Amino acid sequence: MDKTVTFTQIKSSIGSPKSIRATLVGLGLTKLYKTVTRKDTPELRGMLNKVQHLIKMED
């Protein structure tokens, strides 16, 4: 089985740079408290690391 990662946006992206907002959209996080489950890849981990101050991760 492939490992998955579940994460939720818990803080707003208002006031964040465009690159941070674009990363959230790329992750599928378009609204507060939206939860997304994705396949765990190095690319995904890099994106999550970039926005770690705006999200909460559940494993």
Side-chain angles (χ1 to χ4, degrees):
M1 269 194 279
D2 293 330
K3 295 199 87 177
T4 60
V5 179
T6 303
F7 46 93
T8 305
Q9 182 177 352
I10 58 168
K11 289 189 179 178
S12 174
S13 63
I14 293 175
S16 297
K18 284 185 179 180
S19 62
I20 297 291
R21 287 182 280 176
T23 301
L24 286 172
V25 171
L27 288 169
L29 298 172
T30 55
K31 297 181 178 183
L32 277 179
Y33 302 108
K34 183 172 181 180
T35 301
V36 178
T37 301
R38 295 283 168 101
K39 184 176 159 186
D40 191 11
T41 63
E43 295 84 3
L44 179 72
R45 287 291 179 168
M47 293 172 76
L48 292 174
N49 191 34
K50 186 173 182 178
V51 296
Q52 66 185 355
H53 59 287
L54 300 175
I55 63 169
K56 181 178 90 174
M57 292 182 45
E58 299 101 25
D59 286 329

